[in-house]
Amino acid sequence: MLADAENSTETLKTAPDRRAAARPRRTRRQLAYVVAALAVLAGLGFWGYSAWFAGGRPADRYVTAVVERGDIEDTVTATGTLQPRDYVDVGTQVSGQLKIVHVQVGDTVKEGDLLAEIDPTVYLARVDANRAQLQNQRAQLADREAQLMLAEQQLRRQQNLMKEQATTEEALQVAEANVRSLRAQIEAIKAQMRQTESELRGNEANLGYTKIYAPMSGTVVSQSSKQGQTLNANQQAPIILRIADLSTMTVQAQVSEADVPKLRLGMDAYFTTLGGDGQRWFGKLRQILPTPTVTNNVVLYDALFDVPNPDQKLMTQMTAQVFFVLASAKDAVLVPVAALRPAPPEKAREQAPQQNAQAGERRSRPERARTAAGEAPVVERKALAQRAMVRVVRPDGSVEERIIQVGVMNRVHAQVLSGLEPGEVVAVGLKQTDAERAPRDPQQQRRMRPSL
């Protein structure tokens, strides 16, 4: 009896301890149930979100844009430089020391103004020598003419005496020969005089070239020779300065060989400069030079057009961003090019919405990812020249495929001639889901890679 009492006492003492030990295990089990329930709820929420995203309103699957009004241009771009249309490099035709320069860079000159002078000492001496030689030859001519006059008188006297048989035939022949000799000497002197006069004119011209005058009106834009410099004109004409008419500038644009066939003479063109604050200068294409410039295996052709420059804001060698206008439209209805799709044939227009919707659902994930990233769909420009198809998002969220007429188009927008109105919303691509945006695990890629 005593032993039973002791056992019952020990049992009463250990029961609370057992309950206290079982209490933490029960708490951990309840916490595990709560975590599992939250995980299930999260999975259900993610599944519901995905199901709603995939099967909600059709408009929710698209990236959209609003149709607007604005101006549009289809242009060919190029880089060019500015040059004066009319300019001349003023040089010297004679050698010598540049004695004085009467103008400076930036001065405005008129045609005929004295620009510079070369030391004329040598050329003045040559002119004086020619004049003295010519004077000597004139004196010789006068002497021979006087001798000829005397010889002719002697010849006539001998002829009269010969008639009366009062002289010999030999004396008559000597008189005739003397006359012919003097006449020949006179002709030789006259020829020498003509040669001397020619040399005199050349030396007088060279003397005149020592003074350099402006061949045209304009502005002195550069000076190549300094005062006191010795110039040698025997090999090539040294350039002293350049005069340019800055009232009209020529843009020399370098156009790639792929864009040259798009240009036509007389087409509109404009350009902007780096410091022009977006100001545009307009002109018309005047000439395309037939000989290209090859730079790093890139073939470029020079296209020229002129622009007026009355206030002389444009200066020589400025860099110009040139735009040749292929087509343009003002206040046009514009739609993003990314929203355009190839239009179906005329006969299949009725079946086109359903077929295109099915084709859009069958598109692969990488293709949808490219569309969501903003890349334009693969559509040829020729196919968009007349008709195209767009997805119009209605106010109720539904999507309608519509055929439109397209006009002028560039890389960003296209002109809508009919089929859309400003304010309508069009789809430009599919939205990218989280699964498509997430980077793929390399191990998963290796598992999905087909074995060779």
Side-chain angles (χ1 to χ4, degrees), residues 32-320:
Y33 291 156
V34 171
V35 172
L38 292 176
V40 171
L41 291 176
L44 292 175
F46 178 77
W47 177 83
Y49 171 78
S50 300
W52 176 84
F53 183 81
R57 298 192 315 165
D60 296 334
R61 300 198 306 268
Y62 293 100
V63 178
T64 61
V66 180
V67 180
E68 301 176 345
R69 277 194 177 274
D71 300 337
I72 184 173
E73 290 181 343
D74 185 14
T75 60
V76 170
T77 60
T79 302
T81 56
L82 294 177
Q83 295 285 352
R85 187 188 64 179
D86 300 322
Y87 68 92
V88 61
D89 290 326
V90 181
T92 175
Q93 296 179 263
V94 295
S95 301
Q97 184 182 28
L98 187 59
K99 186 176 181 180
I100 186 171
V101 179
H102 296 280
V103 295
Q104 296 180 353
V105 176
D107 290 349
T108 301
V109 298
K110 296 182 179 180
E111 183 178 357
D113 289 349
L114 181 62
L115 302 178
E117 295 183 43
I118 295 177
D119 186 6
T121 303
V122 176
Y123 303 98
L124 184 58
R126 292 176 183 176
V127 170
D128 293 340
N130 291 138
R131 288 175 178 173
Q133 184 179 2
L134 182 61
Q135 186 177 3
N136 182 27
Q137 291 170 351
R138 288 173 178 171
Q140 293 178 12
L141 178 61
D143 179 62
R144 295 298 188 275
E145 288 177 347
Q147 293 180 14
L148 176 61
M149 184 180 299
L150 177 61
E152 289 176 346
Q153 292 176 356
Q154 292 177 354
L155 176 60
R156 287 193 297 270
R157 185 179 301 110
Q158 291 295 327
Q159 289 175 349
N160 294 330
L161 292 174
M162 191 66 183
K163 291 177 181 179
E164 296 177 358
Q165 300 296 324
T167 185
T168 63
E169 185 175 356
E170 182 181 0
L172 178 61
Q173 292 175 353
V174 171
E176 291 176 350
N178 192 20
V179 170
R180 287 194 295 268
S181 175
L182 290 174
R183 288 177 179 175
Q185 292 178 20
I186 290 175
E187 293 297 328
I189 294 174
K190 290 182 177 180
Q192 292 176 2
M193 291 178 60
R194 288 193 295 269
Q195 181 180 0
T196 304
E197 289 174 350
S198 177
E199 293 178 357
L200 177 60
R201 287 193 299 269
N203 289 327
E204 286 177 344
N206 289 333
L207 179 61
Y209 292 150
T210 58
K211 293 184 177 181
I212 302 171
Y213 299 92
M216 61 174 291
S217 300
T219 304
V220 179
V221 296
S222 65
Q223 181 177 345
S224 304
S225 302
K226 301 298 182 180
Q227 183 171 314
Q229 182 177 347
T230 300
L231 306 178
N232 184 7
N234 295 326
Q235 298 179 353
Q236 61 181 4
I239 303 301
I240 298 178
L241 46 85
R242 172 177 289 187
I243 298 176
D245 182 7
L246 300 181
S247 60
T248 303
M249 304 294 287
T250 295
V251 182
Q252 184 175 355
Q254 292 187 322
V255 184
S256 66
E257 58 180 331
D259 293 330
V260 166
K262 303 176 185 178
L263 305 183
R264 62 185 184 276
L265 299 181
M267 69 185 306
D268 293 333
Y270 65 90
F271 71 93
T272 59
T273 59
L274 296 178
D277 297 331
Q279 182 180 355
R280 295 182 177 183
W281 283 268
F282 294 87
K284 292 185 179 295
L285 181 60
R286 170 169 58 88
Q287 185 181 10
I288 301 176
L289 301 184
T291 304
T293 301
V294 181
T295 305
N296 296 329
N297 294 328
V298 178
V299 181
L300 302 172
Y301 289 85
D302 290 334
L304 310 179
F305 65 95
D306 303 329
V307 292
N309 186 30
D311 50 4
Q312 297 189 1
K313 289 184 178 180
L314 302 176
M315 304 182 71
T316 305
Q317 295 297 329
M318 276 188 171
T319 301

